[in-house]
Structure formats: structure tokens, C-alpha cells
Amino acid sequence: MRQQYSSYDECVDFFKHAQTTNPNLFKVETIGTTWEERDIIAVSITKNIDTHLNKPALFYTGTIHAREWIGIELSLSFAKYILDHIDYDPQLNSILDRATLYMVPCANPDGFEYSRNHFSFWRKNRRKNADGSFGVDLNRNFSIGFTPNKNTTSNVYSGPNAFSEPETVALRDFVISHENITIALDYHSQGNVFFPAHNFMHEDAIDAIDLNLLASNMAEEIRKESGREYGVHMGKPPVHLISGSGREFYYSQGALSLVVEVGTRNISDYKEHMSENIDENLPALMFALSEVNNYKKNNSLSRVENFISTEVYSKEINLKWDYKDDESVYFEIYRSKKKKGFAQASNRIGMTRLKTYTDKNLKTSTNYYYYVRAVCKKRNIKSSYAQVLGVRTHPAENMFSKILYPLADKIGYVGEKTKKNANHFGNNSMFVGISESKGECFGVCGFSLSTIPQNAIITSAVISFYPMNRVSVQVESFGEWRIGQIDERTIDDISSFEDIKNAKSLSYIDRPTGSAQLSQGIWRTYEFAAQEIAVLQKSLARSEALFKFEGPSSLPLDRASQLMQWDIGYGKFSGGLTYRPKLDISYTVDEAKIELQSSREFTAFENKIIDNELAAGYDKDGSIKYACIEFDLSQWPEMDNTVISNAYIELEAIKVDSVNTLRFHIEMILPCEGEKSYEKIKKRDIIERIGYDVSVSDIKSKPKQRFVFDTYAINEMVDNLDKNPKAVFVISASSPKPLSKSQDVTFMDTKRVKRPSLIINYIKKRRNAPAQVDDLRHTIENNIIKLEWDIPNDDGYRGAIVVKNPFRVPCSPYDGQKLYGGMDNYTYDNFGDIGVHKYYAVFSYDDVPNFSEPASIELNPKK
């Protein structure tokens, strides 16, 4: 197997040969010498190589950890790709005309060769330490966050001081002397995940959006190539973040910096796995190289500011942003259902020169995340991204939605070999799968359904989990993870492995997730199908739903673990409420029905009005005669707490005296002022047409016809109730013939028994949000930010959601990091930095939910 990998000398020889054969494209230089006196090479690649410093650049580093051979192999493959395609690939040529690629194929030559020839699991360099041990972890030896470590035999020994090693000095000096570097990628193995640089705080830096989108876009290129899904995970500072890494140093020098963890082993089988990992990462590297020009440190395009939603509806969202006026600039808008979504042509929803955009045809009760960037067509560059905007569409008119979270004692895992399974609930993580040490492990997640009414009719449901670590999932073509609802009545002890394993299964939810689709740091959602909703529906009577999360139950011969780690949102090592599993349910309730018969009917002829008659068509002179209907709506239910789900008018044709060419339609009109007249009806103010028109042949085959209101017509009818408790409709005829005479249809009998009917179906539902909370304020307790507010005096108030956003006042409860949701009048920002600028917003909500406008405060205002 190892003979298929290149040695360091073979790598150096390859790049020197490329320089000899392509001197205008490749340049090789020595940037340092290792302890064992190997040259550390850096390779520059661009068109017209002498101009490399004049172009923005991508900085690639590989194999800084000796046993992670992917870095050196990928650099060789990327260089070979460039050599093979430079003669004809227009995209590659366009990129290298405007950008430079710098590569340090192997940042740890001594350690790499020691791993190849002596001890494959070796990680560090080959410094001889004072105590006779060997090696420093080079990726802990940079200056940013450097942490001293006296344990020289540790795999993460950081060295006697920052930049004590010739390898890190070489990398430091190269980056400092190449200010044109705008993106830095450090390739490692294992995990199939992107780790963006962090700032050692829980507050996002302004370019966190660009880091996440660079990673997500590269991950999308990988997914398109092989179907494998890479995660994106910035980590949860301040605990368990690596310090002294190259990634953070490059970031401190102004580059967007990512660590890319490739594959499921440090040294994969070359033919079966490594070659596939290389192939899928080539388009990702191409994408990153295409982006360097957009992040130039000088003369860059400014970022879009104040990106917000101005109106949110059930199927439509209005967006708005600020930008200086510039005729050469337009904007690209992207939409994702994932907060860490990508932004590519496939999900670009619009391009506009305006600073507003309306996104239509959306799903109700659905979270959407939007990205926008400016594009200058003259300079052929794009700006950094505006901060991500999170919005949730409203429920449909007759719908409610509820997002449920498990209580601490209902979320955890049980292991076959673990001793204290009860301690796994409400504490840190949920392990699902199997390992030699823990045995088979099941995740357990229970939700109370008590806040959903017993008469609810569930229409959709989604359950979601946040994967926080997939390193122990060591195989990518083995095993799958699936979630299923189990019968809690068959379980005596939720923390018993045997009880959970043998619990009665009610249904599995959605499709299982294969190991190649497990991605760290990106929500995994499972959507209920109709039969799965039916099972959940029955759980309403028990006010509880319990789910079992299961993974593979056996191990391959050569692997020790297939355990996936998921965040439960509880415990000091979790991410809190933001990462807690959730069950998102949409539902409706049984409808009530009102049927009103018309209160007045008349036919308007050109020279007269005839009451108690309802005929529409043409008179003997060819003039239209209108059938007019009035309904008295004074007995309708109080509309502030009523939503009409549908409405329609029923007409029955009593007499048809017409040829089949005539068609009839109904219009809702504004009531005429004063005495009725033909002229007023003819010049009527039309509010909306109702339903579709019908032909004479339709009426002959089916005398009773139904004209259904659309949503706009329903809303217009309701809005007009405040002005006049009367709804007026006109039946009008039309004909393709230029002159039709003496043709009509009568829609009511002479005794007014079969009068027109207006039927509405409605549910009791609040139409307006509850009042805002009062007096939002903050204090500092034990170095933690505490937020307090006064609960409004509003019968519809069911709680408040608290959201934090570092960049703007949150415009929705989904526009930022959710800190709290519930009935209390206070919460803490347990991870927030007390000295960093940010906004907090509190949204009141009812049981629909309708959300109030935000009550907000700004901390540490910018000067």
C-alpha cells in the first residue's frame, strides 16, 4: 500500500521537473531547512510566474502532521491536474490569469519520512528534546494562542516556545512576506470536515460568514463529485479549541483560513479510499482558488450592510439591504434551508441592481437562510458576504406550528458496556453506533406533546439533531444512522440499555443516513412521511413521543469504532439551546362552518332594477344584464381571533336560456353608494374575481356551481368588514361573439328558496402578535451577562424568545443565536463575552406563533 504514496524526495523532484518544463507556470523555492537538514519547499503556480506577487493568492499547506499523508498527495494531484488542463481549460486559465497558488506540499518532511519508513503513526517533527524524546507538534507551535506544554512525549507537545521549530518559522516567514495571500487551506486527516479559523470567543467575527461559506461551498463541490458530505464546524470556544495552530496564525495575517480534514484514517488505503478523497477535493480546491480574487486585502469590494427581512408571510419574504450607490454593482441573493448552507449557482435565487428582493413560492412554517453579496461587473470581483439572515415563514392561514425541545432527563444515550447510563442523560453528548469500548449505543430523545392541543391534526413534522463529532466514524461505506419512534409504554427505565434496545418500534422516520452523508457541524433533519405522522398523531393522546436513534450494530474487522457524537444542548461541553435536538410540528384543528344565504338579490337591466330576481346574460338589445348578490356579514365571528381557511359561493342554475358560447364569472365589488342603478353596477369598483368562470355547457351538466375564494379575496372580504358589514357580488356574462342577444341563466327560483349561499370554514386562531416585553435590561453577574424584562399584560402571551446577533438588531426570532425560549422573565448569555459589541432582542409570542416586534438593547456600542 505505502509504495503507492510518494516519498518526500519524489515530491520535490516532481515539482522541480514541473518548473523545468513549465518555467512560466511553476516556481520552486526553498523556504527553510529541517532539523534533519531536508529542504522545505514552497511551490508558486500562476500564469506569467514573475507576476505571482501581484495577484491574490491561495496558500496550501499539507502534512504538517507526519502521519497525515493526504496533504502531500493532494498537492501532487492538484499540480498534475493543472499541468494536464492548462492547455485547454478556459476556467483554469481564467483563474490563473488573475490568481496565484502557493503550496507547501509537506510542512513536516522529517516526520513524514519517519512515518513512511519507521513508525506510521508518528505525528510530530523530529526535534531531539532535552530529555532525549523526539518531536514537537508543529500545529501547536505557532504564536496565536500558543500554550506551553512540558510533556515532551505528548503527541500535542507544543515546543519550548512559539516558533521554536524551523518548519513553523519557514511557514511564518513565507506568509508574512506574501501579503497577497487571501485564503489559506491546511490539509489534514481525518474526519471529512472543514474547521474554519476561530477567534477564541463565542462571538462571531465579521468574516465568520465568509469562512463558513467558503467551507460550505467547497463541501458542495465535494458532494457533487462523490456524494460525500463534509461538515463545517468552527468549534465551541473557549473549551477544547486547539491553540498555536497554523490556521489561526494565517487568519491573524488577514487570510480566510480553514483546516480541511480528509478521509476516515490518517493513512487510508490508496486505491480504495485515498484516490477517491483526492479526486473529490480537486474541484473544491478549484473553487477556493477562484475565490481568492474576491478577498483582496486592498481594493476589495465593500460588504453589503444591514441585510434584513422587512415583511414575512406564509409563502413570501421581502428582503432589504444597504449599499452605496454604484451603477457598476449588482447583487446576488442565495437561499438555503441550512444555516451553514452554500452559495452557488444552484441555489442563487436572484440577481438585481435594486437593494430589495422578494422571495416567493416558499413553504410555510419553514426556516430559510439568506446570503447576499455585491458584484462589480467592471472589475469582475465580488464582495464578502453580508451576514447571514435567518427567517421562518409564517404558518398557513389555518395552521399552527410548534418547535419542541426535549427536557434534560429525556435526552441522552445508553451503551451496552457503559456502567452509568443514567448519567448520560442531560449531560454533554449523545453517542450513537458501536465501539469496542462502549459496545452498541442508542440515542434516546423524548418530547412532551402537552403544549399541542388534543384536537390538533398534525400535517407535517421534522426531527433534527446536531452532529458535533464524526471522527470515530472510521468507515464511509459501512453502516447507517436512523431515527425511529418507539412506544414509551414498553419501557420501564429510559436509561436501561436492554429496555431501549427491546422497546417496541412504532415507525422509522425518513430515510437513514449513510456514513458518507454524516457531516459534522451541520444539522441533520429527518422528515416524517404520512404514515409516520399518523403514528405521531396517536401519541397526542399520551402527550409524549419517544425516539430511538440507532447506528450500525457491528464493526468491520479492522476498525474499533463506528460512533457518531451528537450535541444534546445540555452540559458544560454542549453548545446550549442553539444545538438542542428539536421536533418541529405543524398542525391544524377541526374547522367550524358558517353558511349564509343571500340577503338581497336583484338583476340590473340597462333601464331598470328588478329585485328578487337573479339572471345574468344579455338582453334583447345585446346589453349585459348583471345578477347582483348581497350577503349580510354582521353575524360573522369576531375576526381578531378567527382565521378563514376557505370560502366559496354556491349557485344553482334554475333556468338556462343560452347557447354554449356564453361564460359567467363572479366579482366581489365595493358596495354602491346611494340608490342602485345600472350605471353604477356597470362602472363598479371590482375588488377581486372569485374562482373560475363557467360555461353554459358546465352549467347544463352540473347546475350547482361552486366559486372558491383565493387568499387575497378572503383577506379583502375580511378587511372590508370594518367599513361595511355587507359583501356584494356581481355575476357577469361574456361571449366570444361580438353581439349576443336574449341569452341568460337564472340562478334563483321565484320563491327565493334556492338562494345563493356563502360558505366559510374557519378556525379560532389569533391574527395578531402579543404585546412586546417591557424594559429589557442587562446586568453582569459573576462575569456573565444577565438579561431581564417585564412580561406584558396580554392574555395571548405564551412566552418570549431571546436572540443575540453581533451585527444588527435581530429582525426575527431566527436571525441570530437563540439563547432562550419560555415563560421566564430573564436569561443568561452563558458563553457571551461581556466586552464585545452585540445586540439582544426579545420577541413575545403566542400559541400560533405570532411574534411581536423585537424589544432590543445594544451592548458595548461601537464608537
Side-chain angles (χ1 to χ4, degrees):
M1 178 189 71
R2 293 181 186 173
Q3 293 178 356
Q4 294 172 310
Y5 286 89
S6 303
S7 69
Y8 185 64
D9 286 343
E10 289 170 335
C11 169
V12 173
D13 289 344
F14 169 83
F15 281 110
K16 286 184 176 179
H17 180 71
Q19 176 182 240
T20 300
T21 56
N22 295 269
N24 201 36
L25 187 64
F26 278 75
K27 174 186 175 184
V28 181
E29 59 186 308
T30 298
I31 61 172
T33 305
T34 68
W35 292 106
E36 295 179 351
E37 298 187 352
R38 289 185 175 88
D39 288 341
I40 305 167
I41 66 163
V43 182
S44 303
I45 306 175
T46 191
K47 301 279 287 293
N48 302 315
I49 194 69
D50 292 340
T51 66
H52 70 92
L53 286 172
N54 301 330
K55 305 174 186 178
L58 169 68
F59 183 51
Y60 173 109
T61 52
T63 315
I64 197 169
H65 287 145
R67 65 193 181 204
E68 299 173 15
W69 299 1
I70 178 65
I72 190 171
E73 286 299 325
L74 181 57
S75 71
L76 288 165
S77 294
F78 195 33
K80 291 173 184 176
Y81 177 90
I82 292 171
L83 288 169
D84 290 343
H85 289 75
I86 196 66
D87 286 340
Y88 62 87
D89 186 331
Q91 180 190 24
L92 177 62
N93 277 272
S94 175
I95 290 172
L96 291 180
D97 278 336
R98 306 174 67 226
T100 296
L101 171 63
Y102 296 128
M103 292 199 295
V104 177
C106 181
N108 184 3
D110 293 348
F112 171 64
E113 283 301 312
Y114 189 79
S115 172
R116 286 185 67 251
N117 296 302
H118 300 288
F119 178 60
S120 62
F121 211 59
W122 188 254
R123 172 184 168 98
K124 301 183 285 184
N125 73 348
R126 293 299 293 168
R127 163 197 271 271
K128 187 172 184 179
N129 298 312
D131 61 0
S133 65
F134 281 87
V136 167
D137 183 346
L138 297 176
N139 209 38
R140 303 294 185 275
N141 189 243
F142 291 81
S143 58
I144 305 301
F146 176 81
T147 303
N149 176 1
K150 295 182 179 180
N151 183 4
T152 58
T153 61
S154 167
N155 261 338
V156 291
Y157 172 53
S158 56
N161 52 265
F163 296 121
S164 62
E165 308 309 295
E167 297 91 343
T168 54
V169 167
L171 294 171
R172 177 197 66 189
D173 292 348
F174 186 87
V175 169
I176 290 174
S177 63
H178 291 74
E179 295 183 359
N180 57 326
I181 294 172
T182 65
I183 293 176
L185 302 177
D186 188 18
Y187 274 82
H188 292 248
S189 57
Q190 59 182 338
N192 289 350
V193 61
F194 291 88
F195 289 121
H198 55 76
N199 57 7
F200 295 96
M201 292 190 301
H202 268 279
E203 313 292 350
D204 280 343
I206 193 169
D207 57 4
I209 178 64
D210 301 289
L211 287 162
N212 280 327
L213 277 173
L214 174 61
S216 294
N217 280 322
M218 292 179 69
E220 175 62 7
E221 293 297 320
I222 292 170
R223 188 200 64 78
K224 288 189 292 187
E225 174 70 22
S226 66
R228 186 172 288 108
E229 296 189 25
Y230 272 51
V232 180
H233 192 58
M234 196 172 284
K236 300 190 183 75
V239 295
H240 292 309
L241 287 177
I242 68 169
S243 53
S245 80
R247 173 186 60 186
E248 271 63 59
F249 176 74
Y250 310 143
Y251 181 58
S252 74
Q253 299 301 304
L256 294 180
S257 182
L258 308 175
V259 159
V260 191
E261 297 278 3
V262 179
T264 58
R265 275 190 166 179
N266 293 133
I267 307 169
S268 298
D269 177 87
Y270 194 98
K271 185 175 181 181
E272 293 294 326
H273 300 296
M274 180 66 81
S275 58
E276 183 178 332
N277 292 149
I278 288 172
D279 289 343
E280 69 191 6
N281 271 279
L282 293 178
L285 274 168
M286 280 288 290
F287 180 89
L289 189 56
S290 73
E291 279 287 311
V292 297
N293 201 51
N294 298 323
Y295 291 97
K296 292 186 290 189
K297 296 171 187 176
N298 299 314
N299 200 28
S300 61
L301 201 59
S302 60
R303 190 189 305 267
V304 170
E305 301 288 345
N306 300 319
F307 183 36
I308 63 170
S309 61
T310 54
E311 290 91 18
V312 180
Y313 306 99
S314 61
K315 294 185 177 182
E316 188 173 298
I317 296 172
N318 291 335
L319 308 172
K320 175 180 174 293
W321 57 90
D322 292 339
Y323 203 80
K324 61 186 179 184
D325 291 334
D326 187 336
E327 289 188 357
S328 68
V329 168
Y330 65 92
F331 305 95
E332 295 179 338
I333 307 102
Y334 302 86
R335 182 218 303 145
S336 175
K337 289 186 179 179
K338 295 180 179 179
K339 191 171 186 178
K340 292 179 186 173
F342 55 86
Q344 294 196 10
S346 59
N347 70 323
R348 186 176 60 213
I349 57 172
M351 292 184 285
T352 180
R353 284 183 173 175
L354 304 176
K355 298 167 191 174
T356 60
Y357 185 81
T358 298
D359 192 17
K360 301 177 181 179
N361 303 316
L362 302 173
K363 291 184 66 176
T364 61
S365 298
T366 301
N367 287 20
Y368 290 102
Y369 299 93
Y370 292 94
Y371 315 102
V372 64
R373 71 194 308 191
V375 182
C376 181
K377 59 184 181 180
K378 285 185 178 178
R379 295 160 58 192
N380 194 22
I381 60 171
K382 299 181 180 182
S383 73
S384 303
Y385 288 91
Q387 300 305 325
V388 60
L389 170 62
V391 190
R392 183 179 175 90
T393 50
H394 291 171
E397 281 291 297
N398 62 335
M399 302 296 293
F400 301 79
S401 70
K402 187 81 69 175
I403 298 178
L404 305 175
Y405 299 90
L407 295 176
D409 61 353
K410 296 290 186 180
I411 178 71
Y413 80 98
V414 293
E416 181 182 13
K417 297 181 181 180
T418 53
K419 303 296 184 183
K420 299 179 179 179
N421 282 327
N423 294 344
H424 298 160
F425 285 77
N427 188 26
N428 299 333
S429 299
M430 179 169 64
F431 290 93
V432 180
I434 188 171
S435 72
E436 289 181 349
S437 60
K438 292 180 183 288
E440 193 173 4
C441 295
F442 299 110
V444 183
C445 188
F447 297 90
S448 169
L449 305 180
S450 59
T451 57
I452 297 179
Q454 288 288 302
N455 66 335
I457 303 167
I458 299 175
T459 57
S460 67
V462 173
I463 190 169
S464 304
F465 296 87
Y466 187 82
M468 61 187 300
N469 193 341
R470 67 145 291 154
V471 171
S472 293
V473 182
Q474 298 174 353
V475 188
E476 293 185 337
S477 56
F478 180 90
E480 58 186 24
W481 280 253
R482 57 184 181 176
I483 185 77
Q485 187 173 350
I486 56 177
D487 192 339
E488 73 282 354
R489 295 168 295 185
T490 64
I491 298 170
D492 293 326
D493 180 3
I494 196 174
S495 65
S496 164
F497 173 80
E498 292 299 327
D499 278 12
I500 296 301
K501 181 174 183 177
N502 298 319
K504 180 182 178 181
S505 176
L506 298 176
S507 70
Y508 283 107
I509 313 302
D510 209 337
R511 295 181 178 181
T513 301
S515 54
Q517 279 66 56
L518 283 179
S519 55
Q520 181 174 335
I522 297 176
W523 282 92
R524 175 62 57 177
T525 61
Y526 296 86
E527 187 171 350
F528 289 60
Q531 63 269 29
E532 296 149 13
I533 290 174
V535 172
L536 185 61
Q537 180 75 48
K538 293 179 180 178
S539 302
L540 285 181
R542 307 192 301 273
S543 297
E544 183 178 357
L546 188 65
F547 297 88
K548 179 169 74 173
F549 208 170
E550 56 187 272
S553 57
S554 62
L555 287 167
L557 290 175
D558 60 342
R559 302 297 172 99
S561 178
Q562 278 285 278
L563 274 184
M564 186 69 189
Q565 185 180 5
W566 307 80
D567 203 325
I568 67 171
Y570 292 100
K572 66 178 182 178
F573 297 111
S574 80
L577 178 62
T578 305
Y579 302 100
R580 196 165 297 166
K582 50 183 180 268
L583 178 61
D584 190 343
I585 295 177
S586 292
Y587 65 93
T588 188
V589 295
D590 289 328
E591 297 177 336
K593 181 178 180 179
I594 291 179
E595 182 170 352
L596 299 175
Q597 287 194 308
S598 54
S599 57
R600 184 186 178 189
E601 314 80 26
F602 63 91
T603 300
F605 291 83
E606 192 169 26
N607 56 358
K608 59 183 175 180
I609 301 289
I610 300 179
D611 282 314
N612 301 327
E613 179 183 291
L614 203 60
Y618 294 88
D619 64 15
K620 60 183 178 59
D621 297 319
S623 298
I624 297 177
K625 51 182 179 181
Y626 301 98
C628 303
I629 316 165
E630 293 182 2
F631 292 96
D632 182 1
L633 306 184
S634 59
Q635 300 303 310
W636 272 32
E638 186 269 317
M639 294 308 299
D640 282 346
N641 293 300
T642 301
V643 168
I644 298 174
S645 55
N646 54 66
Y648 55 93
I649 292 174
E650 275 192 349
L651 295 174
E652 184 170 355
I654 305 301
K655 180 184 177 183
V656 179
D657 186 11
S658 173
V659 296
N660 289 344
T661 55
L662 242 55
R663 301 186 70 87
F664 298 89
H665 64 270
I666 295 183
E667 300 162 347
M668 179 167 54
I669 69 169
L670 289 176
C672 301
E673 297 291 335
E675 188 176 349
K676 302 290 186 293
S677 70
Y678 183 84
E679 197 63 25
K680 289 179 180 179
I681 299 299
K682 185 177 180 180
K683 295 181 179 179
R684 61 199 178 277
D685 291 320
I686 300 171
I687 299 173
E688 178 73 337
R689 286 181 67 152
I690 307 301
Y692 294 97
D693 57 358
V694 296
S695 67
V696 169
S697 59
D698 293 332
I699 294 170
K700 287 178 178 178
S701 62
K702 187 179 179 181
K704 184 176 285 190
Q705 292 288 325
R706 181 176 292 174
F707 296 82
V708 180
F709 289 60
D710 61 19
T711 302
Y712 176 81
I714 290 174
N715 292 337
E716 286 295 307
M717 183 168 59
V718 171
D719 290 345
N720 277 284
L721 275 176
D722 295 334
K723 306 165 191 172
N724 193 326
K726 184 190 299 182
V728 181
F729 300 88
V730 169
I731 307 173
S732 180
S734 61
S735 172
K737 293 183 177 181
L739 190 62
S740 295
K741 297 181 180 181
S742 301
Q743 296 186 56
D744 62 23
V745 173
T746 302
F747 291 99
M748 186 179 68
D749 62 296
T750 56
K751 295 183 178 181
R752 297 182 70 227
V753 173
K754 294 182 177 181
R755 284 181 283 167
S757 296
L758 173 60
I759 297 100
I760 66 161
N761 294 318
Y762 69 93
I763 60 173
K764 301 304 293 182
K765 174 182 172 182
R766 283 176 59 97
R767 298 172 65 88
N768 301 306
Q772 289 177 286
V773 303
D774 297 318
D775 191 22
L776 176 60
R777 54 202 182 271
H778 86 283
T779 54
I780 306 296
E781 288 188 7
N782 300 319
N783 214 36
I784 297 176
I785 298 167
K786 181 181 182 181
L787 300 167
E788 297 179 273
W789 57 90
D790 296 336
I791 295 174
N793 182 20
D794 190 312
D795 291 340
Y797 180 86
R798 293 293 179 268
I801 288 178
V802 182
V803 182
K804 175 174 69 173
N805 192 311
F807 311 108
R808 58 173 177 264
V809 175
C811 59
S812 85
Y814 307 91
D815 185 25
Q817 181 185 358
K818 182 178 179 180
L819 300 179
Y820 172 78
M823 288 289 289
D824 291 334
N825 68 334
Y826 72 95
T827 193
Y828 292 89
D829 185 1
N830 293 312
F831 301 112
D833 191 305
I834 63 173
V836 173
H837 173 257
K838 72 201 81 173
Y839 299 91
Y840 295 97
V842 180
F843 297 84
S844 299
Y845 63 86
D846 58 18
D847 58 6
V848 173
N850 295 302
F851 292 101
S852 71
E853 291 297 312
S856 64
I857 58 172
E858 181 181 11
L859 266 64
N860 307 308
K862 294 181 179 179
K863 296 180 181 179

